[in-house]
Every structure is written in structure tokens, then in C-alpha cells.
Amino acid sequence: MKGFARLWLASSALALMAPYAAMADEVVPADEIVVTAQKRAQPLQDVPLSISALTAEQIEKRGFDGFTDYARSVPGLSFVDRGSGRNKITLRGVSTGVDQNHQSPVGIYIDETPVSFPNNEPDLRLYDIERIEVLRGPQGTLYGAGSMGGTIRMITAKPKLDRIEASVSGSLSTTRHGDESVALNGMINVPLATDKVAMRTVFYYRNEGGFVDNTQLGKSNVNDAETWGARVSLKMAPSETFDATASILLQRSDYGGTQEIDPTLPELTQRRAVAERRSDDLTVYSLVLHNDFGWADLVSTTSYLDRKINDNRDVTAFLGVPVPVWLNNVVPDRNFVQEIRLASPGGGTVEWIAGLYYSRRKNSLYQLAWHGGLFGIPTTTPLLDSDINNVTKQYAAFGELSVNVTEALKITGGLRAFKVKERFSKVSDGIIAGGFSSDSGGSSESKINPKINISYKATPDILVYAQAAQGFRVGGPNTTIPPLGGVSAPATFDSDSLWNYEVGVKSDFLGGKATFNAALFYIDWTDIQVTVTRPDGFSYVTNGDKAKSKGAEAELTLRPVAGLELGATLAYTDAYLAADSAGGAGLKGDRIPAVPKWSYDIFGRYSFPLSDALSGYMQANVQHVGGSYNGFPSDVPAPDLQHSYELANAKIGVETGDLDISLFVNNLFDKRAELFVDTTLGDQRINVNRPRTFGISASKRF
């Protein structure tokens, strides 16, 4: 009944927006958004896929600064928020648990570079971003095994060869029960040789005030965060047909603690024996070469990612000992990627794309368990000393062929054939590891991912499509340390795969004043990889039987009169196990963890003239996220339910030329959302959102 009420509420909101369209006296065409989701530039409404795209203008208008800002506005996208840089992302319910220790089912890309991680997706700041593309459903043909549930692409703004331009922006805010926050951004684009060479440089800085107090250490607002980043791009175009773009992106974040609270303590407080500090360093190098042969475009992308996370986690409560015990985790990750592809021009009777892909990724986990003096062991001797290394190589060939049977009917088929090789080694010692042990091994697997898509342009403004596509995720070794007793981890786990079937519609109507896109999907998932937590607190991966996910996604945008924009997104996802899983990780009918059934976002903005040179605007949005479990409902002990929540934000401002000044309030009603409930460490830790935050922001373009 609650689900029906929420659907009625969201549908009523959409319906209430529609009558405004009749008030329009003139046609206000929708802005055309161009995306590159299919590796070639295409208008968003002409791409027969379920895609959400946020342009630079939309990102700026709504004040999106990081992943959690825009994620709730994208239908079908859900996430476990453990704080910046510690998110786990899910699309269409393709999730296999919260503490996921294997390949992410969602591919995350910065331009052409894959940057997805199992539990710690990087939270890049969104300054000078050209657009964000969210592709729902498996993208195995063009994006590989890491995109079983979908793909998120962050496209950065590129150097412009013909002009000097610059921009600056900043904000100052204060959080109820917390400290002040400041954000600064800057960009400059300079042609070094007109129409031949240009450089674009971006810098940003964030100092986010904390709002959670640690009663045990007597420290206030411990979850503060400081982030700085820079991006430098150099583009060279020595001829009309060839260009090259080299770039480097740097981001460093330091966190004083977590945003976890203890519900048994006073509001917004936690109890930690040690400071849970964390640092996150990310560097991405890339080189993109492009040549237009006329009959085809050749693109070569070379990239290298280097990321290192260093954090402390207090595990004193889990061990139940009288002195502090904490884990220090150092997680370096390096990934080299090379892709070469050739694509025909769009618009012909036959369109095609073909490419080769190679990657080599080395990720490690160095884990030490320190203590304040336990069992007579010197404090300089760790209780656990573990060194785990994993190297993964992928080789792939991929291609898609599209035939425009008529001007309206288009059929596309795609294949990706790939091979994955993995090698691991692990060494562990200490009382928690049961003494010294070592192990090594590897695995290898090959697979072909197919796809078929049929689209039909029913009218110039209505596109309907149907698609069947396979998604695939590699298996691999379990690298957990030997158990102290009880459950042992299997040496390896197998790959899992799914078939996604969907139908969708994309439409512009009311003379270009409205856009409505929607899709229905059904996912059949086999050999599902699930995470099992052992009695000693460490986890491993095993294969279950099968799961299903079905649902719907819809997006509506209305521009009924000049200055007024209304929008809404709605998603329903029913993801559940279709059979009992191995290892006690869920029973038939259990909901998939971390997947809310319902979510929606309702947004409105009205701009109005104040004088010949000055205009004002006001905007607001409300976001709803349904409840979800942090484990399978049949687990013992029973999992916790993250309750549903609604958040509201508002903003008013003035614009004159290229200057924008605004006042904003986030979390208008000061709600405490349960973003994630964690009981794996012997106590209850609830990740909560930032309380009500007031601020002022300003931006200027030159």
C-alpha cells in the first residue's frame, strides 16, 4: 500500500506539471543535448538507450558539486553513502551486497578512463564538467565486463583552440550542529597557437566542516574533510583531420573521521577509541589521439590511473577488549588502459564501430591491526600483518553494426569477445591471522557478450526501442586471510552474468516544450556473486544461484513558459533472489541489499527579469529514496533496514551578464537520513546526511 501511495504521489506531481504547458504563448524548444554514449556524438533523444544526461548548465544551476548531489536525481541509480570517496553504486538493482570485495557491477569513467572500484568509488568534484552520462543496463559491448549494471561517464570540458576564457566560483556555508564550509574553483583556457594549440587548467578546493562529535576522545566535528584538485589539458590540432589531447587530473582528500553516529548516544555523536582518519590520492593521466579519415574516425586512448587510500578503522567494540584496537588499511591501485577504435560516420545506411582493448590492473591491500597493549604483546607488534596483491589483465575485441533499414527503422547488433587473467599472492601473520601463512594462485576466463537493439522513429518526435543485452562480471580468487575458526573461504569464485531485456520511449511533445523518456526492464541474473561475512568479521565471495530485477524509469521535463522549467524523475526497482544462495547468503525471495524499491526527484526553477540588465531566479527540489536492507532479509543475525527518507533543497539568486550570486539551503527541513546502517564491527554505526546547511555562492565567467 505504501508503494502505491508513493507512486500516486509521484504520478500526481507529474500530472500537476502538465497543465502549465497549456499556458504557453510561444514555442520554447528543448535544449538539444549531445552525448557520446555509443562512442560517437549523437543527440540524446536519438540514442535508443536508457540514458540520463546532465549538462554543464544543469550541473551549475542545481549546484551539484559531487556524486551524492546528482545521484538522487537519476532514475534507477542507488548507492550506499559511507561518506565522500566511500560510495557503492548500483544501477537497476544489480547489487550483490554492501561489503563488496570484487569487481563493481557499474562502470565509472572519467572521459575514456575506467575508475570504478568495489566499495570506494572516487567522488570527483564537478567543476568545469561538460556533462555526466548515466547509461542504465549492461553496456558490455562497448564498455566491457565492468559495466554489468550500467555505466556512468564524467566528460570533462576540453581546451578550446580559438578563444581565451576563464571562470571563478566559490561558496561559503554553515551547517547546523557543525562547522562552516568553503569551496573555491577556477578555470582558465588559453590558446598557445590560435586554432592549433590550447591549454585548459582547472583548480578546486573544498574545506567541509564536520558535524559529528566523538565523545570518547572529546573531539567535536571530527568528520571534517579537505579536498583539493587540479586538471590540466593540452590540445594540439596540427591539421584539420588530426588532433591530440593530453591531460592529467590530480585530487587529494583528507578526512578527520566518518559521518557515522551511534543511535544510543545523543544526537550526532559517536564513540571511537582512535581517530578514524583517512586520505585518498587519485592521479589520472590520459592521451587521446583522433584522426578523421573521412570514411571513418580513428581514436586511440591511453590512460593510467594511480590511486592510494589510507584509512584507520576502530574495531575495539568488535573484539570486546579493554584497550583500543584499530585496522590500518593501505589500498594502492594502478590501472593501465589502451583502447583503439574505428567508427564510421553517422547517418549512413550502415554504421559500424570496431575496436581493441587492453588493460592491466594491480590492486593491493596492506592491512595492519594495531593495539594499545593486548595479551602482553608489545604495542609495536601488530595483531595482524597482511599483504595481498592482485593483478588482472583484460584483452578484448568489440564491435557494433547498425543498419538503417528505412528512415525510421534501425537494427543494431554488437559483440564483445574478451579474456581475463588474474594472479594473486597473499602473506599474513599475527595472532588474528592464526600465525604465518602464504598463498598464491590465479584464474583465467573468456567470454562473449552479445547485444541486439531495434529502434523505430514513429514520428520526428517519438522514438521507441527494444533491446536485449548480456552483462558479465569476471570471477577470481578469494584473498581473505585464513579464518581463526569456523567458516573457510573457497579458493575462488566464478563469474556471473545476466540478460537485460527492455523497451523504451523517447519523446518531445507540445511543440518542443516538453520531453518525456521512459523504459521498462527485466533482468535475469545467474550465478550471482554474493559476499559472505565470516564469524571472525572478514568476508569472502561465493556464487549464489539466480536473481531477478524488474522495474521502470521515467523522466519528464516541461518548459511551459519563458523562464519556467519543471522536471521529475521516477524509478521503481524490484530486485530479489530467485533461489536460495550458497553459504547462507540469502534465501529465495529476499530483496537484494542496498536497492530501494522507489525513488523520485521533483524539481522546479523560475527565472524572471528584475531590470534590463538584472534577472532573478528561484528553484527547489524534493528527493525521495525508499528503504533498503544492508543485507539479505533472511540473514542471521537479521539485517538492518535503512528507512526511506525525503530531502528538500532551495535556492534563490540574481544574474547579470556572466555574474551569478545566490543564497541556498540544503536539507531544508533538517532531516536525518539513514544512508547506511553498519553492524559488522560490534556496535551500531549509522551513516547520516549533512544537517541543514545555509550558504551563499557566486560565480563569474570571463
Side-chain angles (χ1 to χ4, degrees), residues 115-198:
V115 296
S116 54
F117 295 81
N119 279 319
N120 301 290
E121 302 292 4
D123 191 6
L124 292 172
R125 299 306 176 175
L126 301 178
Y127 190 68
D128 201 41
I129 297 293
E130 184 175 300
R131 68 185 178 278
I132 299 169
E133 299 176 6
V134 180
L135 291 69
R136 291 177 288 269
Q139 307 297 322
T141 302
L142 297 180
Y143 295 97
S147 295
M148 186 167 71
T151 299
I152 299 174
R153 305 177 69 227
M154 289 171 279
I155 314 298
T156 61
K158 303 302 186 293
K160 295 180 180 178
L161 300 172
D162 59 348
R163 76 193 74 170
I164 296 176
E165 63 180 14
S167 64
V168 293
S169 69
S171 68
L172 180 65
S173 61
T174 182
T175 297
R176 189 185 182 201
H177 308 297
D179 283 336
E180 289 71 35
S181 300
V182 64
L184 299 171
N185 309 288
M187 178 278 293
I188 184 168
N189 183 96
V190 180
L192 303 179
T194 304
D195 295 329
K196 298 293 183 182
V197 183

Side-chain angles (χ1 to χ4, degrees), residues 8 20 73 80 102 184 225 229 269 313 369 376 393 402 415 423 437 510 536 546 565-566 625 642 682:
W8 177 86
Y20 286 98
S73 69
V80 174
H102 41 123
L184 299 171
T269 57
R313 292 291 278 168
K393 295 181 180 181
S402 299
L415 288 174
R423 297 290 302 174
S437 67
L510 298 178
D536 61 5
K546 54 186 176 180
E565 180 179 357
L566 303 168
V625 177
Q642 286 93 216

Side-chain angles (χ1 to χ4, degrees), residues 42 88 178 180 203 264 313 346 357 359 385 390 410 427 483 549 580 592 628 681 687 701:
Q42 297 170 288
K88 175 190 177 296
E180 289 71 35
F203 174 79
T264 66
R313 292 291 278 168
Y357 174 92
S359 70
D385 185 347
N390 192 52
K410 185 174 185 177
V427 178
S549 182
D580 296 348
I592 299 294
S628 65
L681 295 177
N687 281 261
R701 294 189 178 275

Side-chain angles (χ1 to χ4, degrees), residues 259-261 263 673-678 684-688:
Q259 62 191 52
E260 299 168 335
I261 65 168
E674 295 178 352
L675 304 177
F676 176 62
V677 179
D678 188 354
Q684 190 173 55
R685 306 180 177 198
I686 301 178
N687 281 261
V688 295

Side-chain angles (χ1 to χ4, degrees), residues 361-691:
R361 187 169 198 164
K362 180 179 180 181
N363 57 292
S364 305
L365 170 61
Y366 307 127
Q367 192 170 63
L368 295 168
W370 297 105
H371 59 103
L374 196 64
F375 308 130
I377 301 173
T379 56
T380 55
T381 302
L383 302 177
L384 170 68
D385 185 347
S386 175
D387 183 354
I388 300 171
N389 294 278
N390 192 52
V391 176
T392 304
K393 295 181 180 181
Q394 292 194 42
Y395 311 82
F398 61 90
E400 285 192 357
L401 179 68
S402 299
V403 179
N404 293 294
V405 181
T406 67
E407 291 185 359
L409 179 62
K410 185 174 185 177
I411 300 176
T412 299
L415 288 174
R416 187 183 187 97
F418 59 93
K419 184 173 185 178
V420 180
K421 295 181 179 180
E422 291 193 81
R423 297 290 302 174
F424 79 93
S425 64
K426 59 182 178 181
V427 178
S428 58
D429 201 359
I431 188 172
I432 291 181
F436 178 82
S437 67
S438 64
D439 192 14
S440 63
S443 61
S444 178
E445 196 161 15
S446 300
K447 184 71 176 180
I448 295 179
N449 268 355
K451 162 189 167 180
I452 182 70
N453 181 290
I454 301 175
S455 62
Y456 182 71
K457 197 82 170 179
T459 73
D461 297 322
I462 299 177
L463 173 72
V464 294
Y465 66 89
Q467 176 170 283
Q470 188 177 36
F472 176 82
R473 179 171 48 173
V474 300
N478 271 308
T479 52
T480 307
I481 67 171
L484 287 177
V487 180
S488 296
T492 62
F493 56 94
D494 297 329
S495 63
D496 58 350
S497 64
L498 58 79
W499 274 97
N500 175 89
Y501 309 93
E502 67 181 278
V503 293
V505 60
K506 292 189 169 185
S507 61
D508 296 311
F509 57 101
L510 298 178
K513 294 170 292 189
T515 300
F516 177 73
N517 298 336
L520 300 173
F521 68 88
Y522 174 81
I523 292 175
D524 190 2
W525 191 358
T526 57
D527 298 323
I528 175 174
Q529 293 175 9
V530 293
T531 301
V532 178
T533 301
R534 300 187 321 207
D536 61 5
F538 292 92
S539 59
Y540 64 90
V541 181
T542 187
N543 291 92
D545 194 332
K546 54 186 176 180
K548 310 284 185 184
S549 182
K550 54 189 176 182
E553 305 139 354
E555 298 177 276
L556 173 66
T557 301
L558 294 173
R559 301 176 181 87
V561 294
L564 179 62
E565 180 179 357
L566 303 168
T569 66
L570 173 67
Y572 170 75
T573 306
D574 184 16
Y576 57 92
L577 291 178
D580 296 348
S581 288
L587 301 176
K588 181 178 180 180
D590 280 357
R591 284 178 57 185
I592 299 294
V595 179
K597 281 193 173 183
W598 292 96
S599 63
Y600 61 76
D601 174 75
I602 301 174
F603 168 77
R605 178 184 173 101
Y606 181 61
S607 302
F608 47 90
L610 296 172
S611 68
D612 290 341
L614 188 67
S615 63
Y617 63 87
M618 58 180 66
Q619 67 183 50
N621 76 293
V622 177
Q623 300 167 327
H624 168 86
V625 177
S628 65
Y629 289 96
N630 64 0
F632 290 106
S634 63
D635 286 352
V636 179
D640 297 278
L641 174 69
Q642 286 93 216
H643 292 89
S644 63
Y645 61 89
E646 289 82 27
L647 299 176
N649 308 299
K651 184 178 180 181
I652 60 172
V654 294
E655 296 175 301
T656 174
D658 292 321
L659 176 64
D660 185 316
I661 301 175
S662 65
L663 298 173
F664 64 88
V665 55
N666 295 330
N667 192 5
L668 179 63
F669 301 107
D670 198 28
K671 297 290 187 179
R672 298 290 175 270
E674 295 178 352
L675 304 177
F676 176 62
V677 179
D678 188 354
T679 57
T680 61
L681 295 177
D683 51 11
Q684 190 173 55
R685 306 180 177 198
I686 301 178
N687 281 261
V688 295
N689 62 315
R690 182 171 289 272

Side-chain angles (χ1 to χ4, degrees), residues 132-318:
I132 299 169
E133 299 176 6
V134 180
L135 291 69
R136 291 177 288 269
Q139 307 297 322
T141 302
L142 297 180
Y143 295 97
S147 295
M148 186 167 71
T151 299
I152 299 174
R153 305 177 69 227
M154 289 171 279
I155 314 298
T156 61
K158 303 302 186 293
K160 295 180 180 178
L161 300 172
D162 59 348
R163 76 193 74 170
I164 296 176
E165 63 180 14
S167 64
V168 293
S169 69
S171 68
L172 180 65
S173 61
T174 182
T175 297
R176 189 185 182 201
H177 308 297
D179 283 336
E180 289 71 35
S181 300
V182 64
L184 299 171
N185 309 288
M187 178 278 293
I188 184 168
N189 183 96
V190 180
L192 303 179
T194 304
D195 295 329
K196 298 293 183 182
V197 183
M199 177 178 288
R200 193 177 189 95
T201 303
V202 177
F203 174 79
Y204 53 87
Y205 174 78
R206 305 286 184 275
N207 192 326
E208 299 170 277
F211 53 87
V212 175
D213 300 336
N214 187 336
T215 59
Q216 188 164 350
L217 295 180
K219 295 184 177 181
S220 301
N221 304 324
V222 297
N223 64 315
D224 60 326
E226 185 177 45
T227 298
W228 69 266
R231 188 172 71 247
V232 180
S233 301
L234 180 68
K235 183 174 182 178
M236 296 169 285
S239 71
E240 293 184 358
T241 60
F242 176 79
D243 61 82
T245 304
S247 64
I248 178 172
L249 181 151
L250 307 169
Q251 180 169 296
R252 163 82 185 201
S253 298
D254 292 286
Y255 308 92
T258 67
Q259 62 191 52
E260 299 168 335
I261 65 168
D262 186 333
T264 66
L265 299 176
E267 184 181 22
L268 296 175
T269 57
Q270 61 179 221
R271 185 185 290 113
R272 299 288 186 274
V274 295
E276 293 186 315
R277 295 188 177 91
R278 185 169 185 266
S279 65
D280 189 346
D281 288 278
L282 175 69
T283 305
V284 179
Y285 308 88
S286 71
L287 174 64
V288 179
L289 307 177
H290 166 251
N291 193 77
D292 182 0
F293 292 109
W295 57 273
D297 275 354
L298 178 66
V299 177
S300 168
T301 64
T302 307
S303 60
Y304 180 73
L305 175 146
D306 188 352
R307 188 184 187 195
K308 183 179 180 181
I309 299 172
N310 190 329
D311 73 356
N312 289 330
R313 292 291 278 168
D314 181 5
V315 295
T316 309
F318 179 78

